[in-house]
C-alpha cells in the first residue's frame, strides 16, 4: 500500500510589524503553483475555539500564567483539529507563529519562568516541532513604525513598550542561535522582494522540492 508522505510544517515568527503575513501569502502561492497542497493558519487561532481564545488573549489583561496556558490550550486544539490531520494528509502547513512565540513573548517579554513553558510544551506537543522556522528579525523601532502606519487600533500586545519588543526580539534570536538547523533568520528591514528571495533560499537549502 502506498502511504502519503507527511507534509512539512513551516512557521513564521518575529515581533509585531515584521511583515510575516505578506511573505506567508507569497510562499503559499509559490508552493500551490508547484501543485502542492498548502494550508495557511495562525496562532493564537486556527480553529473556531482558538479564534475565540485569540480574541480574549489580544484584548484582556491577565496573569502571565493564564496567558501561557491559554496560548497552549489554543495550540492543543490547533494541533489536533488542523495541523496534525493536514500534515498526515501530506499538506504543507504554513503557520503564522507557533510555540517559539510563547517563549519569546511570555517568557522573554512577560517574564514567565522558562520551566513553565517547557512543561506546557512537553504536555501539548512532546517531541514535535516545526520542520523549518523563518524568524523575521528587525529593530523594534522599525516594527513599531510599521504597526502605527497601518492606522489600525493596536491590540494588547502591540500596545507594549519598546523595551518589551526588544526582549521579545532577543528571546527569538537566542532560540535561533540554539537551533540553527531549524531556524532561518531573515533581515526583515529589507524590501519584500528581497525577503521573498531569502525565504525561497531557506527552502532550497532543505532540498524538499
Ligand atoms: P499576530 O498579530 O502576529 O497574529 O499575533 C498575535 C499576538 O499574539 C502577537 O502580538 C504575538 C502574541 N502571541 C504571544 O504572545 N504568544 C504566543 O504564543 C503567540 C502564538 C502569539
Amino acid at each position: 500500500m502506498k502511504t502519503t508522505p507527511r507534509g512539512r510544517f513551516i512557521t513564521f515568527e518575529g515581533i509585531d510589524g515584521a511583515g510575516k503575513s505578506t511573505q506567508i501569502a507569497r510562499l503559499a502561492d509559490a508552493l500551490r503553483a508547484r501543485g502542492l497542497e498548502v494550508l495557511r493558519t495562525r496562532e493564537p487561532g486556527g480553529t473556531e475555539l482558538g479564534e475565540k481564545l485569540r480574541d480574549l488573549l489580544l484584548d484582556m489583561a491577565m496573569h502571565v500564567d493564564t496567558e501561557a496556558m491559554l496560548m497552549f490550550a489554543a495550540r492543543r486544539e490547533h494541533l489536533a483539529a488542523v495541523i496534525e490531520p493536514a500534515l498526515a494528509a501530506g499538506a504543507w502547513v504554513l503557520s503564522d507563529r507557533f510555540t517559539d512565540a510563547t517563549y519569546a513573548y511570555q517568557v522573554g517579554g512577560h517574564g514567565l519562568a522558562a520551566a513553565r513553558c517547557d512543561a506546557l510544551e512537553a504536555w501539548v506537543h512532546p517531541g514535535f516541532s516545526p520542520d523549518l522556522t523563518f524568524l523575521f528579525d528587525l529593530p523594534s523601532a522599525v516594527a513599531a513604525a510599521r504597526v502605527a502606519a497601518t492606522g489600525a487600533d493596536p491590540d494588547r500586545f502591540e500596545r507594549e513598550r519598546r523595551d518589551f519588543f526588544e526582549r521579545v526580539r532577543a528571546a527569538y534570536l537566542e532560540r535561533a542561535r540554539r537551533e540553527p538547523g531549524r531556524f532561518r533568520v531573515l533581515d526583515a528591514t529589507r524590501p519584500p522582494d528581497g525577503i521573498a528571495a531569502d525565504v525561497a533560499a531557506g527552502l532550497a537549502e532543505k532540498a524538499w522540492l
Side-chain angles (χ1 to χ4, degrees), residues 26-157:
R26 284 178 75 149
L27 180 61
D29 287 347
L31 293 173
R32 286 192 184 112
R34 302 181 74 126
L36 293 162
E37 185 68 37
V38 177
L39 181 92
R40 270 185 68 184
T41 188
R42 68 172 180 181
E43 290 207 347
T47 64
E48 196 182 341
L49 174 61
E51 292 294 327
K52 289 195 171 166
L53 291 173
R54 178 188 177 93
D55 289 345
L56 294 174
L57 279 159
L58 268 50
D59 184 46
M60 296 185 73
M62 61 185 78
H63 191 282
V64 67
D65 288 352
T66 313
E67 192 170 282
M69 288 189 280
L70 289 181
M71 291 291 179
F72 271 100
R75 185 161 299 136
R76 185 71 198 90
E77 200 62 22
H78 193 203
L79 280 160
V82 175
I83 299 173
E84 288 164 356
L87 291 176
W92 286 50
V93 178
L94 309 184
S95 186
D96 189 339
R97 304 190 186 281
F98 192 62
T99 295
D100 293 307
T102 317
Y103 280 98
Y105 280 77
Q106 279 64 58
V107 177
H110 283 162
L112 176 76
R116 296 202 166 170
C117 200
D118 293 344
L120 288 167
E121 182 181 25
W123 182 2
V124 169
H125 57 90
F128 174 87
S129 60
D131 297 303
L132 175 62
T133 297
F134 289 107
L135 173 55
F136 287 60
D137 183 54
L138 78 176
S140 61
V142 180
R146 287 190 189 167
V147 170
T150 66
D153 270 352
D155 64 38
R156 188 165 71 88
F157 290 99

